[in-house]
């Protein structure tokens, strides 16, 4: 996924009267023009959907559980929500539920009734081992990180022959260990929090873990609440995203399936499945599911936003612009505003993107929304090489939420570009110690290489190896990690793997990010003539990205286009001279050579 995809911004519920005016300047009356009845969330009530069952009166004789008793339904819900009996009481909220057999997870499977998908005795043994390792590793150590690091070591020893086995091992470790006990916290653990609350109102507090705990308790008492299962599924999607833990996605899938088994036409679960598909980088399916949800409820904010995200990530930018206009008409607010801004940024219209994000920040009231939008403004400023402005926005984001991962990562990147290398290294080391994600891992490795001290080369190699471990985890949990693989492997891994991943990603979607990744992977494999059209396509929309310009300039130099190469290398360094420590260094060297050969 591209670095600026906005599908991590969750939906919030607010009264129609409190919604801000759309960014296009159209007045908002708080109800659709057709006069359709509007619910208290500002969305029209689907004509065919009945109201949720009252908490005090579950209907035990309807739906897929017909013929069972209320006690049996509650027992089923206990299994679905909390996993096998005897799981560790101190597990993180949401830690044990809705996970499949380890072999299914390793294969990316997640099907079957949630009641059947409990972890067996072997997983329980893994949980105990994970707990022991956590205790010996010290406070704040996360089994998820330990699993990634174990897999990174395994990958270095047996990279070619053991990749599949490595992925399976990681899936078992994460499913049985990190989900069950690895995320348990003590006083020194400060989790990265979600950008804002997810819908509906039960999650409006913004404390995602506490909301999941409340949902689990509710579903034990009301196992046939299809809306509750849908909300739990979407909460797991957000938890996976904000904690960098793709092993949450099978949990989300099972909760959403349970919701749809209770009511197949509920738009909340369909929108949740669209969000899950987008999070797994299955954008074609995300688009289809968002459309299904919008047929049930044209005002479902999550579905409107997932539809925009899917179109952007499929490279259908004209359609994405039309979709964001529709979303702006129906549900103006922070999630739509940020997507509106990104669509314009991809077109090179930075002024409009900044104006819309400023408006979104002004409309933000919750700490999560403020952190999210301020970090988006920081990223926009970073892309334009305005590091002081970027640092100001990241500081605003971290004042609202000191653990917001995109702001922490962005601040470190801006510090490095501003010459504050020591602060940047410290910040990235803290991030990857808890959240070993591809972006921070590559950035930290490159900073180690740039510092060039004793042992730094080995430290850098360790970070790059951990990227392979993370992608193995992601694939084991149904995530398409081809773009992440291509970007990291082209410069810091196996070049053939980078090209294969880039070609695979291009076969599914034609975005500027995939075009750039494919162009660069072709270049590092000595296929510059084939790379050039893709490098040109990556910059064709006007998107202002220094790395894209650098890649194009290098490829033009290699294909005998010196004038164009000089222009694009100079443009990259003018736009964002610190876009990448090795990239900027190579761009300057290439430009010097080109100038000397005039």
């Amino acid at each position: 996924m591209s670095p600026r995809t906005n599908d991590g911004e969750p939906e919030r519920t607010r009264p129609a009267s409190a919604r801000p005016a759309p960014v296009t300047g159209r007045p908002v009356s708080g109800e659709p023009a057709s006069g359709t009845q509007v619910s208290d969330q500002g969305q029209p009530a689907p004509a065919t959907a009945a109201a949720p069952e009252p908490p005090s009166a579950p209907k035990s004789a309807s739906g897929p559980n017909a013929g069972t008793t209320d006690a049996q339904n509650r027992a089923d819900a206990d299994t679905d929500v909390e996993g096998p009996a005897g799981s560790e009481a101190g597990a993180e909220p949401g830690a044990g539920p809705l996970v499949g057999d380890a072999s299914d997870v390793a294969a990316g499977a997640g099907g079957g009734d949630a009641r059947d998908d409990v972890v067996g005795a072997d997983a329980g043994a893994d949980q105990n081992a994970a707990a022991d390792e956590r205790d010996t590793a010290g406070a704040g150590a996360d089994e998820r990180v330990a699993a990634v690091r174990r897999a990174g070591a395994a990958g270095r020893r047996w990279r070619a022959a053991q990749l599949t086995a490595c992925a399976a091992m990681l899936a078992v470790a994460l499913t049985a260990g990190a989900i069950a006990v690895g995320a348990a916290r003590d006083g020194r653990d400060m989790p990265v929090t979600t950008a804002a609350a997810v819908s509906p109102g039960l999650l409006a507090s913004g404390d995602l873990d506490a909301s999941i705990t409340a949902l689990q308790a509710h579903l034990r008492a009301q196992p046939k609440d299809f809306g509750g299962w849908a909300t739990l599924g979407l909460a797991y999607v957000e938890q996976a995203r904000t904690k960098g833990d793709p092993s949450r996605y099978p949990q989300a899938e099972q909760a959403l399936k349970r919701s749809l088994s209770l009511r197949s036409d509920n738009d909340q679960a369909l929108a949740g499945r669209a969000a899950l598909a987008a999070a797994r980088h299955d954008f074609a399916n995300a688009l289809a599911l968002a459309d299904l949800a919008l047929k049930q409820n044209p005002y479902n904010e999550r579905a409107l936003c997932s539809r925009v995200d899917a179109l952007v990530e499929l490279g259908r930018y004209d359609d994405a612009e039309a979709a964001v206009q529709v979303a702006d008409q129906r549900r103006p607010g922070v999630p739509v505003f940020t997507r509106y801004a990104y669509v314009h940024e991809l077109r090179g219209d930075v002024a409009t993107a900044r104006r819309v994000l400023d408006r979104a920040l002004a409309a933000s009231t919750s700490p999560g929304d403020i952190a999210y939008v301020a970090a988006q403004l920081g990223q926009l400023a970073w892309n334009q090489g305005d590091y002081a402005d970027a640092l100001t926005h990241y500081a605003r984001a971290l004042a609202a939420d000191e653990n917001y991962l995109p702001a922490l990562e962005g601040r470190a990147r801006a510090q490095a570009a501003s010459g504050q290398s020591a602060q940047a290294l410290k910040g990235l080391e803290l991030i990857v110690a808890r959240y070993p994600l591809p972006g921070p891992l590559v950035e930290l490795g490159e900073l180690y290489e740039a510092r060039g001290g004793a042992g730094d080369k080995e430290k850098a190699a360790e970070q790059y190896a951990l990227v392979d471990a993370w992608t193995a985890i992601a694939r084991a949990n149904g995530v398409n990690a081809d773009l992440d693989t291509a970007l990291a492997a082209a410069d810091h891994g196996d070049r053939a793997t980078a090209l294969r991943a880039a070609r695979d990603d291009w076969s599914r979607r034609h975005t500027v990010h995939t075009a750039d990744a494919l162009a660069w992977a072709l270049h590092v494999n000595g296929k510059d003539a084939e790379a050039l059209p893709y490098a040109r396509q990556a910059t064709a929309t006007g998107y202002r990205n220094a790395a894209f310009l650098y890649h194009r300039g290098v490829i033009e130099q290699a294909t005998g286009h010196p004038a164009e190469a000089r222009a694009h290398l100079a443009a990259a360094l003018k736009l964002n001279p610190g876009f990448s420590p090795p990239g900027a260094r190579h761009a300057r060297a290439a430009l010097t050579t080109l100038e000397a050969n005039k």
Side-chain angles (χ1 to χ4, degrees):
M1 188 181 294
S2 68
R4 293 291 308 282
T5 298
N6 289 310
D7 64 354
E9 166 64 6
E11 171 187 2
R12 289 151 335 289
T13 301
R14 65 180 68 184
S17 59
R19 282 185 268 139
V23 295
T24 51
R26 292 179 293 278
V28 174
S29 64
E31 61 184 22
S34 63
T36 304
Q37 180 182 358
V38 178
S39 70
D40 59 358
Q41 283 85 26
Q43 299 178 357
T48 59
E53 300 164 19
S56 59
K59 299 177 182 179
S60 61
S62 63
N65 296 323
T68 62
T69 66
D70 288 345
Q72 287 172 327
N73 285 333
R74 283 192 291 272
D76 290 340
D78 288 342
T79 300
D80 290 340
V81 173
E82 292 188 318
S87 60
E88 198 166 291
E92 181 178 2
L98 300 169
V99 292
D101 182 88
S103 62
D104 292 336
V105 177
D113 190 285
R115 289 168 292 180
D116 299 329
D117 293 319
V118 295
V119 180
D122 289 344
D126 286 341
Q127 291 177 7
N128 294 333
D132 292 341
E133 180 169 344
R134 186 187 67 249
D135 291 338
T136 58
D142 192 330
E143 173 61 18
R144 179 175 64 253
V145 179
V148 174
R149 296 190 180 280
R150 287 197 302 271
R156 288 192 296 274
R157 291 191 299 269
W158 306 297
R159 185 175 309 278
Q162 297 294 330
L163 182 58
T164 301
C166 178
M169 179 270 288
L170 282 166
V172 172
L174 282 169
T175 302
I179 291 181
V181 298
R185 294 190 295 273
D186 62 24
R188 285 182 284 178
D189 188 2
M190 301 172 65
V192 171
T193 57
T194 186
V198 293
S199 77
L202 181 61
L203 300 183
S205 68
D207 187 341
L208 189 59
D209 291 344
S211 296
I212 287 175
T213 299
L215 267 172
Q216 290 173 327
H218 168 73
L219 289 168
R220 284 195 297 272
Q222 301 294 330
K224 298 176 71 177
D225 178 3
F226 66 89
W229 285 109
T231 303
L232 181 63
L234 186 54
Y236 285 145
V237 174
E238 298 303 327
Q239 200 170 50
R241 224 186 319 255
T242 57
K243 294 179 181 298
D245 183 2
S247 63
R248 303 285 184 183
Y249 292 136
Q251 298 174 272
E253 183 175 0
Q254 295 297 338
L256 294 166
K257 283 184 176 180
R258 184 69 181 268
S259 176
L260 288 168
S261 75
L262 293 167
R263 177 154 297 171
S264 62
D265 63 350
N266 81 83
D267 63 283
Q268 189 180 341
L270 290 169
R273 288 190 68 190
L276 174 60
R280 283 173 155 172
H281 301 186
D282 181 3
F283 299 110
N285 198 32
L287 179 60
L289 289 165
D291 284 340
L292 283 175
L294 292 170
K295 285 182 179 179
Q296 300 299 324
N297 179 3
Y299 288 78
N300 185 301
E301 184 179 62
R302 167 56 61 187
L304 288 166
C305 291
S306 290
R307 189 170 196 277
V308 175
D309 293 335
L311 289 167
V312 165
E313 294 301 330
L314 290 169
R316 295 169 54 180
Y317 298 131
D318 290 340
D319 292 337
E321 186 166 5
V324 82
Q325 294 278 355
V326 171
D328 183 42
Q329 284 181 316
R330 295 178 183 175
R331 291 299 299 270
V334 170
V336 174
F337 289 176
T338 53
R339 287 163 171 84
Y340 192 102
Y342 186 44
V343 168
H344 280 269
E345 184 187 357
L346 286 168
R347 302 281 198 185
D349 186 359
V350 174
T352 296
R354 185 182 295 112
R355 174 178 60 82
V356 172
L357 286 174
D358 283 337
R359 181 170 182 177
L361 187 59
S364 300
T365 55
S366 72
D369 279 351
I370 293 168
Y372 178 79
V373 180
Q376 292 287 304
L377 279 162
Q379 177 69 22
L380 184 65
W382 153 263
N383 277 350
Q384 315 315 309
D386 189 345
Y387 308 136
D389 194 36
L391 287 168
T392 297
H393 288 303
Y394 289 132
R396 174 81 180 273
L398 293 170
D401 181 352
E402 63 184 356
N403 303 305
Y404 189 50
L405 180 59
L408 290 168
E409 181 185 351
R411 180 178 66 179
R413 192 188 307 115
Q415 286 172 335
S418 302
Q420 304 172 50
S421 299
Q423 296 94 317
L425 275 165
K426 182 179 179 181
L428 285 170
E429 286 170 344
L430 290 172
I431 290 170
V432 303
R434 294 290 297 157
Y435 304 97
L437 300 171
L441 286 168
V442 169
E443 290 158 8
L444 180 58
E446 291 181 345
L447 285 181
Y448 282 139
E449 288 192 83
R451 186 172 66 179
D456 279 343
K457 185 176 180 180
E458 291 74 17
K459 289 180 181 178
E462 180 183 354
Q463 310 313 309
Y464 304 144
L466 289 174
V467 174
D468 292 339
W470 184 92
T471 55
I473 295 171
R475 289 193 175 94
N477 288 280
V479 180
N480 184 320
D482 282 337
L483 184 57
D484 297 289
T485 298
L487 292 171
D491 287 325
H492 306 297
D494 182 78
R495 295 174 178 181
T497 297
L499 182 55
R500 182 168 55 251
R503 287 194 191 279
D504 287 346
D505 205 54
W506 182 258
S507 72
R508 289 183 296 272
R509 57 192 181 121
H510 293 178
T511 72
V512 293
H513 293 88
T514 305
D516 172 72
L518 179 53
W520 196 241
L522 286 164
H523 163 73
V524 300
N525 280 275
K527 301 177 182 293
D528 291 295
E530 187 181 351
L532 185 56
Y534 294 107
R536 288 172 173 167
Q537 188 166 340
T539 57
T541 67
Y543 181 45
R544 292 167 57 82
N545 186 297
F548 290 12
L549 293 168
Y550 158 62
H551 291 161
R552 178 171 174 174
V554 169
I555 292 167
E556 286 170 334
Q557 181 185 24
T559 53
H561 298 83
E564 293 90 338
R566 283 194 301 271
H568 288 113
L569 290 169
L573 292 170
K574 181 179 180 181
L575 175 63
N576 186 352
F579 69 90
S580 158
R585 183 174 64 253
H586 296 159
R588 287 190 293 269
L591 191 57
T592 299
T593 299
L594 287 164
E595 292 292 343
N597 292 335
K598 267 187 180 181

